[in-house]
Amino acid sequence: MLIANGGIPNILKNDKAMTKTIEIQLPPFPQGYHLITDEIVSKVKDLPQDGILHLFLRHTSAAISLNENADSSVRNDFSSFFCRLVPEDFPNFTHTMEGNDDMPAHIKSSLIGVQVSIPIYQGKLALGTWQGIYLCEFRRNAGGRKLLITLQS
């Protein structure tokens, strides 16, 4: 690495560097944990050889996560755990105008998060053997969710 004035590294220009962002609309999903890996991969054409795929869910009552994709009981365990951790009938919630599943959905979304970054290696998402991308839907009657997909190479 080249070091310039005052020990600050110079960033070399890479003419092949690119950033591309697309927004997709996911279909409505029922409350629960849903694998969306294939849906993401089908929307992203021509992955670079190396880079980053960043996913950002544009909502506050759902989340996105990487987790085990081989055993469907993982999804049931997620649901059981988070419903017990943040129950819909918690008596101290004051934000209740949108239904008793709304405030718990906001808290669950904050706990899990609304963004993930996945390395791209040799032209493919560098997911582990058992990893999949999950949409975590916390509302009972949510509409489709918007997801920003940013590719950087």
Side-chain angles (χ1 to χ4, degrees):
M1 178 177 287
L2 298 175
I3 302 295
N5 305 330
I8 299 170
N10 282 335
I11 304 297
L12 301 177
K13 184 178 179 186
N14 179 353
D15 291 331
K16 294 181 183 179
M18 81 144 189
T19 299
K20 177 182 176 183
T21 301
I22 60 171
E23 181 178 67
I24 67 169
Q25 177 80 33
L26 296 171
F29 284 95
Q31 189 177 48
Y33 298 80
H34 308 279
L35 281 169
I36 59 169
T37 309
D38 291 341
E39 184 138 8
I40 301 303
V41 170
S42 74
K43 301 292 184 190
V44 180
K45 306 295 183 211
D46 302 320
L47 287 174
Q49 276 301 106
D50 295 293
I52 298 285
L53 180 134
H54 183 262
L55 301 172
F56 177 75
L57 186 64
R58 301 181 73 183
H59 298 274
T60 61
S61 57
I64 193 158
S65 180
L66 294 180
N67 218 296
E68 153 135 15
N69 69 355
D71 184 351
S72 62
S73 68
V74 169
R75 292 175 241 177
N76 296 330
D77 291 344
F78 261 115
S79 183
S80 294
F81 177 81
F82 277 100
C83 286
R84 186 171 175 134
L85 182 66
V86 188
E88 290 183 4
D89 60 354
F90 184 70
N92 295 62
F93 288 144
T94 59
H95 176 75
T96 58
M97 290 177 53
E98 296 178 60
N100 67 344
D101 66 337
D102 188 47
M103 192 61 223
H106 293 310
I107 293 171
K108 293 170 189 175
S109 175
S110 289
L111 290 171
I112 293 177
V114 295
Q115 58 187 333
V116 296
S117 293
I118 304 166
I120 300 167
Y121 179 65
Q122 297 179 345
K124 297 179 183 174
L125 294 182
L127 293 169
T129 301
W130 308 114
Q131 286 181 317
I133 304 166
Y134 278 91
L135 171 70
C136 310
E137 179 55 69
F138 303 124
R139 298 296 309 267
R140 282 188 298 280
N141 296 305
R145 301 298 192 162
K146 291 180 182 176
L147 187 65
L148 284 180
I149 302 172
T150 302
L151 288 169
Q152 294 179 324
S153 67

